[in-house]
Amino acid sequence: MTLTGPKSEKASKRPPTPGGRRVPPGPPPWAAPSLFKKLATDRIALMSLAATYGDAARLSIGPKTLYFFNHPDHAKHVLADNSGNYHKGVGLVQARRAIGDGLLTSEGELWRKQRRMIQPVFQNKRISRMDGVIAKEAAHLVDRLRSHTGGEPVDVVQEMTSLSLGVLGRTLLDADLGAFSSIGHSFEAVQDQAMFELVTLSKVPMWVPLPKQIRFRRARKELQRIVDHLVADRLARGEDGDDVVSRLIGSTRQEADPRVGRQRMRDELVTLLLAGHETTASTLAWTFHLIDGHPEVRERLHAEAVEVLGDRLPVHDDLHRLRYTAMVVEEVMRLYPPVWMLPREAQGEDEVGGYHVPAGSDVLISPYTLHRHPAFWDNPDRFDPERFDPDRPANRPRYAYIPFGAGPRFCVGNHLGMMEATFVIAMVARDLRLVTVPGHNVVPEPMLSLRVRGGLPMTVHSA
């Protein structure tokens, strides 16, 4: 499906703004009800619809007007060159009520303080020393999967979630998150609430006893209990480590109001627990779905893993040798970027791609549609890891591919995520073959990350 093409003839004929400023084309005002339905039930379809109007579109949905930009130059301008004019926007603003003021949703000096505090934990030198921890967690995953060989299907989404939580706990928190079996279910409720906040624009009070909100309130209490336990355990051990919990304890002690410090610690840890496992788990699930449908890719992955690893665990130096595996990961993140939308709010008026953007406007950059732009990707809907062969010239702008975002808010955990995904895919492909249950419809679910809706049942076979 080509996502960008000639401007729709049904686009509304909006006059220029005062001063002759250009306004992007878009659906007519009477399309608002159908747009709102897509916002509530099929956000990928909404982004794809916007892309049919060209590289810029204006979507009026009730009280909201969304400015959609879908060109690498637009992404560069909004996310990097003029990033100071753009704060987190629609969706993430509303998600703040669900997940608080962590690194994902905070702004200004608070965000800079949080970024400075956490950045050293993600330094490449430190993450490279975690290769053994990641490899052992991946080995535990392979053992769990192998126990199901020839048996009933396993939910690969659930397995990848367990794996990524294990890696997160061991590498960043110095904790065993396997002791908290409720984390996955709690984050389901949090993401449901975040999307509810988006659709309702946070107009429904949190105390209204809707089933969704009741589940969310319980989930939030459970997540706060978990992070409080992590902090109490670290304090009881009396250790000064360089993990996130230790650094947060030291950072929040500087708050004049202890209550502010406690809340900030909770918000940051809840955000880390969510962002630190959800995106990698989603990428891995999409990977095993796609390689099941492409036997030639699976065979190359298997051959490379056998050649590079033999029967041992991977180490950091293997990353540059698992070249095809990395190419597969990059292509999966092109088709199904875990962060599928980067919403921003313009603080002052601006011009993007020759179009006027008023102050206060909601601006959307969608990696999902940008990664499928036919001007920059041949056969954009085809799964083709060869696109990322380092020996082939890319011939595309830098900002045509932004799976980890861009600019100052570029994902701080990109190196950890790539190492984890590469190790897991290589080790599973070496030993096992995962096959999607026949008839199961695999559908994207755009929440805070781009997940597989309803899980991914697969049977396990020897490689």
Side-chain angles (χ1 to χ4, degrees):
M1 176 177 61
T2 300
L3 293 175
T4 306
K7 188 187 304 180
S8 169
E9 295 182 0
K10 295 184 179 180
S12 57
K13 305 293 185 180
R14 296 187 181 90
T17 58
R21 291 163 168 169
R22 296 173 65 206
V23 176
W30 53 86
S34 66
L35 297 179
F36 180 81
K37 183 178 179 181
K38 284 185 171 63
L39 177 66
T41 63
D42 195 350
R43 289 173 285 278
I44 288 294
L46 180 64
M47 295 298 96
S48 300
L49 170 68
T52 65
Y53 288 91
D55 289 341
R58 186 174 183 267
L59 309 175
S60 297
I61 308 176
K64 281 285 182 186
T65 299
L66 308 177
Y67 286 76
F68 171 86
F69 292 103
N70 195 47
H71 190 280
D73 292 345
H74 303 162
K76 183 174 183 290
H77 178 84
V78 171
L79 302 175
D81 295 345
N82 199 25
S83 61
N85 186 52
Y86 292 93
H87 287 185
K88 288 298 181 83
V90 62
L92 288 176
V93 170
Q94 286 76 27
R96 184 177 288 125
R97 288 218 303 182
I99 60 177
D101 263 324
L103 194 64
L104 185 65
T105 55
S106 60
E107 294 289 353
E109 185 54 36
L110 174 59
W111 174 80
R112 285 186 285 273
K113 181 190 295 185
Q114 292 169 334
R115 183 84 175 201
R116 285 194 301 268
M117 182 277 298
I118 203 171
Q119 186 80 47
V121 179
F122 288 94
Q123 288 178 346
N124 286 356
K125 189 177 294 185
R126 182 186 185 278
I127 294 300
S128 66
R129 295 196 300 267
M130 296 294 174
D131 56 352
V133 173
I134 297 171
K136 287 178 182 176
E137 290 291 332
H140 293 328
L141 167 72
V142 172
D143 288 343
R144 290 198 304 271
L145 293 174
R146 186 182 286 115
S147 69
H148 294 277
T149 301
E152 292 297 312
V154 297
D155 184 351
V156 169
V157 171
Q158 184 176 336
E159 288 292 341
M160 299 307 135
T161 298
S162 297
L163 163 89
S164 56
L165 282 171
V167 171
L168 172 66
R170 299 295 187 191
T171 58
L172 301 183
L173 303 175
D174 190 21
D176 178 11
L177 295 181
F180 305 106
S181 59
S182 62
I183 288 180
H185 295 300
S186 295
F187 276 126
E188 291 284 334
V190 167
Q191 294 213 57
D192 285 345
Q193 182 69 22
M195 292 301 101
F196 179 72
E197 298 284 346
L198 166 63
V199 173
T200 62
L201 302 178
S202 297
K203 298 300 184 184
V204 179
M206 197 73 74
W207 54 262
V208 175
L210 300 174
K212 188 186 302 290
Q213 301 212 127
I214 293 171
R215 285 195 302 273
F216 165 70
R217 291 199 296 269
R218 291 172 179 164
R220 185 168 60 179
K221 288 181 180 178
E222 176 62 9
L223 290 171
Q224 289 177 347
R225 183 191 70 81
I226 291 170
V227 300
D228 287 349
H229 177 88
L230 293 173
V231 172
D233 178 66
R234 184 56 42 79
L235 290 171
R237 282 153 54 182
E239 300 172 357
D240 292 325
D242 66 345
D243 59 277
V244 173
V245 179
S246 296
R247 296 184 67 84
L248 266 175
I249 290 172
S251 174
T252 54
R253 276 176 177 160
Q254 300 172 17
E255 296 284 356
D257 186 340
R259 291 173 299 179
V260 173
R262 282 195 300 272
Q263 189 57 53
R264 196 186 119 203
M265 188 180 302
R266 282 177 169 177
D267 289 350
E268 294 193 41
L269 282 174
V270 167
T271 297
L272 180 68
L273 286 172
L274 173 60
H277 88 277
E278 177 78 12
T279 52
T280 304
S282 296
T283 296
L284 287 169
W286 283 115
T287 300
F288 291 115
H289 164 64
L290 287 169
I291 63 178
D292 174 49
H294 297 81
E296 73 286 357
V297 173
R298 185 181 66 238
E299 289 168 10
R300 282 192 63 179
L301 285 170
H302 172 75
E304 180 178 81
V306 170
E307 178 184 353
V308 172
L309 301 180
D311 59 359
R312 63 175 173 83
L313 296 180
V315 295
H316 185 263
D317 287 346
D318 290 323
L319 288 175
H320 73 278
R321 301 173 64 205
L322 292 168
R323 191 166 84 161
Y324 187 70
T325 308
M327 289 160 54
V328 169
V329 176
E330 290 183 288
E331 174 69 346
V332 171
M333 290 193 296
R334 183 188 70 84
L335 285 172
Y336 296 103
V339 180
W340 62 279
M341 184 174 72
L342 298 167
R344 295 292 187 266
E345 182 183 277
Q347 303 304 292
E349 68 175 359
D350 196 10
E351 184 174 290
V352 180
Y355 292 104
H356 177 63
V357 177
S361 297
D362 288 293
V363 173
L364 305 180
I365 304 291
S366 173
Y368 182 88
T369 55
L370 191 58
H371 292 180
R372 296 168 183 255
H373 196 308
F376 308 108
W377 304 94
D378 294 331
N379 297 311
D381 294 322
R382 187 180 69 196
F383 178 58
D384 180 13
E386 294 293 334
R387 302 177 199 273
F388 292 95
D389 186 339
D391 292 336
R392 287 173 50 178
N395 295 325
R396 58 177 175 268
R398 156 71 182 83
Y399 286 81
Y401 182 66
I402 50 172
F404 295 107
R409 301 195 80 135
F410 183 83
C411 176
V412 71
N414 65 304
H415 183 59
L416 174 62
M418 281 299 297
M419 181 160 64
E420 180 180 348
T422 303
F423 280 11
V424 170
I425 293 163
M427 291 176 67
V428 173
R430 178 187 62 185
D431 297 345
L432 302 170
R433 182 167 55 92
L434 303 181
V435 178
T436 305
V437 170
H440 181 76
N441 190 23
V442 180
V443 178
E445 183 178 33
M447 304 291 277
L448 292 178
S449 68
L450 188 58
R451 309 187 306 184
V452 178
R453 175 175 292 164
L456 180 59
M458 305 185 82
T459 53
V460 183
H461 309 266
S462 297

